Amino acid sequence: MLAREPQEENVADQAKAELKFNDKSLELPVVVGTEGERGIDIGKLRAQTGMVSLDPAYMNTASTKSAITFLDGERGILRYRGIPIEELAEKSTFVEVAYLLIYGHLPSKQELSKFSEALTRHSMLHEDMKRFYDGYPGTAHPMAILSAMVLSLSSFYPQALDVKNHEEQEATIARLVSKMRTIAAFSYKKSIGQPFVYPRNNLSYCANFLNMMFSVPAEPYDLDEEIVKVLNLLLILHADHEQNCSTSTVRQVGSSQANLFASVAAGICALWGPLHGGANEEVLSMLEAIRADGGGPKKFVELAKTKDSGFRLMGFGHRVYKNYDPRAKIIKVAADKVMKKMKQPDPLLDIAKTLEEAALNDSYFVERKLYPNVDFYSGIIYRALGIPTNMFTVMFAIGRTPGWIAHWKEMTEDPTTKIFRPRQIYTGSALTHYVPLDQRA
Ligand code: ACO
């Protein structure tokens, strides 16, 4: 990484990149970000050379300029709107961080209370939506339900379809942030055969979610303030991560001017995969498997190094972090704290720590710069809070919602946004002709 003084965002660097091909040469502008990141702007490449760039999996491609989150994977830095994740984790709440991401600044007292009130007012689901839950089998994965329900919101709030109407979008944003937790809690209640618990207006965002998840009409439910705090922390840590797979999906879908509910429903699907948000569920299964095996984590470290085993250490490695994921550091400390509070500490935490140590001292992981990511310890905390394993990725989705919204909003409000439409290099058959069925070999 080039060391540079921070400077104004998007100021064109003095330097230009030069691309030569055969006898042609092309000067390409260099775009510089606030923290000195440089990108070669190839926007005119095809128009001027007839060629496109090829970058499978976007390993080298910045798909957009964005002012939301700064991430330096080499130095393990993560900041939302310029504020270090460590400060937000220690001092803020999820609702405040949601505001920060979506609206670009920390809210004043008045702004925060207006936003919180909007979240409170929009927390219930339309009664007809409750019936949707009856159509799902008891075995339905809650991520499938979550995505379908979020998409369904666009049929109950057709105002959301007018993506250029900023006033309507304000209500859509509040509805989405607020109803995510209600949808999630209802799908849990459905899966265990308990009655839905309605949101309560006198509770904070996280307390309300815990109450909808764990209270029953038959007896009072005591909310533990420390647990509420831990949940705030986990949601803050998951709230945004710049152009990750699900956020890029939200942007991709939103670039066609699809409404916010539809765009986020697509993001939820992208998040579900085990290489992305689904990893937190996989980490737990892996730790359970290590416990059941009884032979200790080393065997699994060896297995992860054997390519044809098809096994990877889940919760390890990251496309961008080539250093310890700062979120994982914070979660590890929180996991320790939560465990100290529990009457019976979870043996999976010890297994996770031994596994981490074994991997971090192994040359395979050291050479490839593979460190624990955000998913490595989060599942252990969710488990301690009583959240079932198949809800882990749903928890991630609740946390990531403000980030998805912030990116969708940034893109939709940018007058230069065009529909995302990548090119390809075609490698199929050259021109060939239709053969009638009776003449085919
Ligand atoms: N266990 C074992 N080997 C690994 C792991 C792992 N968890 N992760 C990467 N590697 C190896 C790869 O086999 C590859 O080795 P090679 O160079 O010898 O072929 C090298 O490290 C680079 O890995 P890639 O898969 O090329 O890296 P990429 O950036 O494409 O993938 C990913 C990143 C998907 C996160 C990967 O590290 C992984 O599969 N991790 C496990 C799943 C996981 O925890 N996902 C959550 C990510 S965080 C999030 O989305 C919230």
Side-chain angles (χ1 to χ4, degrees):
M1 175 113 188
L2 293 168
R4 292 172 59 98
E5 287 299 307
Q7 49 182 273
E8 207 179 304
E9 188 203 353
N10 301 335
V11 174
D13 202 349
Q14 296 298 321
K16 293 215 184 297
E18 194 182 353
L19 179 74
K20 286 188 176 164
F21 181 71
N22 290 341
D23 55 344
K24 277 192 184 157
S25 139
L26 176 67
E27 269 202 347
L28 298 165
V30 174
V31 178
V32 185
T34 320
E35 295 291 337
E37 295 163 299
R38 297 179 191 201
I40 299 173
D41 180 352
I42 58 159
K44 299 222 159 54
L45 182 67
R46 190 167 177 277
Q48 295 187 1
T49 66
M51 291 191 292
V52 293
S53 66
L54 175 65
D55 185 22
Y58 308 127
M59 304 283 285
N60 308 281
T61 296
S63 60
T64 185
K65 293 176 200 163
S66 176
I68 301 168
T69 287
F70 173 67
L71 172 50
D72 182 333
E74 269 77 24
R75 292 190 289 158
I77 294 175
L78 174 63
R79 297 179 198 144
Y80 297 161
R81 302 286 187 182
I83 305 176
I85 190 67
E86 293 79 5
E87 285 178 34
L88 293 168
E90 192 192 329
K91 299 174 182 163
S92 193
T93 63
F94 177 61
V95 170
E96 189 179 54
V97 165
Y99 187 98
L100 170 72
L101 286 167
I102 296 169
Y103 297 104
H105 60 273
L106 284 171
S108 65
K109 269 189 190 161
Q110 206 185 9
E111 286 167 330
L112 185 59
S113 85
K114 198 174 155 208
F115 185 56
S116 300
E117 198 193 309
L119 298 188
T120 301
R121 267 198 301 121
H122 291 298
S123 59
M124 292 206 301
L125 296 188
H126 193 291
E127 282 296 293
D128 291 346
M129 275 189 88
K130 270 174 43 190
R131 278 189 238 128
F132 293 3
Y133 287 91
D134 295 335
Y136 290 102
T139 51
H141 195 288
M143 282 298 274
I145 300 179
L146 185 69
S147 177
M149 287 285 178
V150 168
L151 182 61
S152 302
L153 288 173
S154 49
S155 60
F156 286 87
Y157 304 99
Q159 315 88 297
L161 272 57
D162 184 0
V163 298
K164 298 286 177 199
N165 183 336
H166 296 311
E167 218 169 287
E168 281 303 341
Q169 292 317 316
E170 290 306 297
T172 303
I173 287 169
R175 283 191 180 106
L176 183 54
V177 175
S178 188
K179 292 181 201 306
M180 282 293 279
R181 67 194 156 155
T182 315
I183 294 173
F186 280 19
S187 58
Y188 172 60
K189 286 296 194 193
K190 157 79 187 167
S191 74
I192 55 168
Q194 285 186 2
F196 298 139
V197 175
Y198 283 68
R200 268 176 39 195
N201 285 2
N202 63 336
L203 294 178
S204 68
Y205 187 93
C206 289
N208 220 333
F209 172 71
L210 290 168
N211 188 62
M212 285 191 278
M213 284 284 287
F214 300 120
S215 73
V216 286
E219 59 185 27
Y221 169 71
D222 287 333
L223 276 160
D224 181 329
E225 272 315 308
E226 271 187 63
I227 298 294
V228 174
K229 219 171 148 196
V230 171
L231 183 57
N232 265 290
L233 171 80
L234 286 170
L235 297 185
I236 290 171
L237 296 178
H238 285 90
D240 193 41
H241 215 233
E242 49 119 299
Q243 311 307 320
N244 56 86
C245 177
S246 55
T247 303
S248 299
T249 302
V250 171
R251 278 188 178 260
Q252 171 92 30
V253 175
S255 77
S256 72
Q257 298 185 358
N259 70 78
L260 181 62
F261 297 130
S263 305
V264 168
I268 293 168
C269 294
L271 185 75
W272 192 2
L275 296 189
H276 190 13
N280 53 16
E281 206 178 315
E282 300 285 328
V283 170
L284 244 282
S285 312
M286 177 183 76
L287 296 175
E288 293 277 21
I290 296 174
R291 181 164 69 163
D293 179 78
K298 285 231 162 84
K299 181 175 157 189
F300 287 79
V301 170
E302 290 308 315
L303 198 63
K305 289 157 58 178
T306 315
K307 294 278 178 221
D308 56 13
S309 71
F311 173 77
R312 284 188 165 199
L313 273 197
M314 298 314 282
F316 253 80
H318 198 276
R319 170 63 60 80
V320 183
Y321 288 121
K322 301 301 167 200
N323 200 326
Y324 213 102
D325 182 334
R327 301 167 300 173
K329 254 187 213 165
I330 299 169
I331 294 185
K332 189 177 174 184
V333 175
D336 267 327
K337 271 194 199 155
V338 171
M339 281 314 136
K340 282 199 185 112
K341 227 179 115 56
M342 307 310 288
K343 284 192 196 98
Q344 259 193 326
D346 190 341
L348 295 192
L349 179 62
D350 289 333
I351 295 177
K353 283 186 180 170
T354 324
L355 180 64
E356 179 192 336
E357 204 189 320
L360 293 183
N361 286 309
D362 190 296
S363 60
Y364 173 96
F365 290 86
V366 174
E367 279 158 22
R368 288 168 181 76
K369 299 185 174 153
L370 300 170
Y371 292 88
N373 59 49
V374 68
D375 287 325
F376 193 66
Y377 287 105
S378 63
I380 291 175
I381 304 187
Y382 285 136
R383 206 165 110 106
L385 304 192
I387 291 166
T389 312
N390 70 353
M391 285 283 290
F392 289 179
T393 316
V394 170
M395 300 306 297
F396 192 152
I398 298 174
R400 186 54 55 88
T401 300
W404 288 330
I405 294 172
H407 284 270
W408 183 90
K409 186 170 183 287
E410 182 180 68
M411 185 192 64
T412 309
E413 290 175 359
D414 179 353
T416 66
T417 296
K418 286 181 185 291
I419 188 167
F420 287 18
R421 204 313 189 174
R423 297 268 175 173
Q424 64 166 17
I425 303 292
Y426 175 68
T427 58
S429 302
L431 178 64
T432 181
H433 293 286
Y434 182 80
V435 180
L437 187 56
D438 58 0
Q439 292 170 31
R440 286 176 216 162

